[in-house]
Amino acid sequence: MTRPGLPKLIATDLDGTLVRSDETVSAYTHEVLDRVRAAGIPVVGATGRGPRLTELTRNDIRAADFLVMAGGGRVVDQSDPGGPVVLRDERLPGAVLAGLLADLEAEVGPLTVMVEASDEHDAPLWGDYHASWPYQDRFEARTRAECLSRDVLKAFARTADHHVDELLDVARRIVPAEVATLTQAGLGFVEICPPGVDKATGLTVVAERLGVDPAEVLVFGDQPNDLPMFAWAGWARVAVANAHPTVRAAADEITLRNDDDGVAVYLDRLLSR
């Protein structure tokens, strides 16, 4: 049940939630988010995108005071007058990733693996080519050894024989939570993050900096990687109508699809109460 009045903090996922299928954000959505900030409510973009996509992310959620990126591993305060301040930067050691991939391949067979190793602007992912990856312009084929030669922000894995939700279930059974955090974001790949990294722990960094209780936070999402912040936030958890079934089930409310500006419509109504 939502609380009366307004939340103290609003966080929204981007792809599939705020961003439309044509990879744009409407002028209406930008205008509503500007009104949210004008009402004194900080806005957070909470996304699986890594810091290499920071400029794209800033363009998609221009009103954001904070960015929670890489599924929670990179947190940036954009409100500081001196410029953006990195509040969190977590990495997964290559040796740890190598071990868990070996354990997973022993169970499910060969994996297609990509890693996010660099936070430079528009840096490509490294790894195994797969035709289903939607962002081929930001991909570079590299050997497994090269991919595991350094600490990474995140890794992506899939098999030809498992649906991503099935592979995620298997991976969570094999890989202990203290080794890595596992999720999926609707791209057909299991995402492997450093232990303790998810959108909830990323938002915790923001909430503590602002002195906001999780019970005062409103969140929007569409994929399983949004479930931790749905469990964490208490003011309301809102899924877009196109959300994964598990996210819809965890939501307090369902708004319109991302292509129908569901986040903005919900917030517009909230501000107009």
Side-chain angles (χ1 to χ4, degrees):
M1 180 68 67
T2 58
R3 298 183 175 199
L6 296 173
K8 298 289 180 63
L9 183 68
I10 292 172
T12 180
D13 172 58
L14 298 184
D15 299 298
T17 301
L18 191 78
V19 179
R20 299 180 294 192
S21 299
D22 63 0
E23 300 184 4
T24 66
V25 177
S26 71
Y28 167 63
T29 293
H30 285 304
E31 184 270 329
V32 171
L33 289 173
D34 286 341
R35 287 171 53 208
V36 168
R37 287 191 76 238
I41 305 170
V43 174
V44 184
T47 178
R49 298 177 186 177
R52 67 199 178 90
L53 301 178
T54 296
E55 294 310 312
L56 173 65
T57 301
R58 286 174 176 153
N59 183 65
D60 284 344
I61 186 163
R62 299 167 196 162
D65 300 279
F66 294 84
L67 297 178
V68 171
M69 304 190 73
R74 173 68 68 90
V75 180
V76 181
D77 180 353
Q78 302 200 122
S79 65
D80 193 293
V85 178
V86 176
L87 305 178
R88 188 188 202 194
D89 184 16
E90 299 289 340
R91 308 287 172 127
L92 185 66
V96 173
L97 178 59
L100 71 86
L101 290 175
D103 291 344
L104 190 51
E105 286 187 316
E107 180 75 17
V108 302
L111 292 167
T112 296
V113 176
M114 299 184 300
V115 300
E116 186 158 5
S118 175
D119 56 7
E120 294 181 2
H121 174 65
D122 267 353
L125 296 184
W126 293 355
D128 304 319
Y129 169 78
H130 198 281
S132 71
W133 184 250
Y135 310 111
Q136 296 291 338
D137 59 328
R138 295 189 178 97
F139 170 79
E140 183 177 313
R142 294 282 188 106
T143 66
R144 180 74 62 88
E146 288 177 296
C147 291
L148 301 175
S149 66
R150 62 167 70 185
D151 297 350
V152 302
L153 289 143
K154 185 196 294 189
F156 303 81
R158 67 172 292 155
T159 73
D161 303 323
H162 297 76
H163 183 274
V164 63
D165 287 330
E166 180 187 1
L167 181 60
L168 180 58
D169 287 343
V170 173
R172 283 177 169 166
R173 174 168 52 82
I174 292 172
V175 180
E178 60 270 21
V179 172
T181 298
L182 306 170
T183 189
Q184 70 102 344
L187 296 172
F189 288 73
V190 168
E191 300 193 0
I192 305 167
C193 299
V197 165
D198 58 38
K199 291 187 180 183
T201 59
L203 284 172
T204 296
V205 174
V206 175
E208 290 178 350
R209 189 167 180 87
L210 295 175
V212 172
D213 190 285
E216 301 173 310
V217 181
L218 163 63
V219 295
F220 297 88
D222 77 311
Q223 289 295 333
N225 67 332
D226 296 315
L227 289 171
M229 71 176 182
F230 270 46
W232 174 85
W235 197 89
R237 291 69 63 92
V238 182
V240 286
N242 52 287
H244 189 280
T246 58
V247 180
R248 290 172 58 91
D252 300 306
E253 299 180 62
I254 309 294
T255 188
L256 300 176
R257 296 174 57 86
N258 64 321
D259 287 339
D260 298 319
D261 294 332
V263 172
V265 168
Y266 184 96
L267 291 173
D268 197 352
R269 292 171 178 168
L270 181 65
L271 293 172
S272 301
R273 285 181 184 174

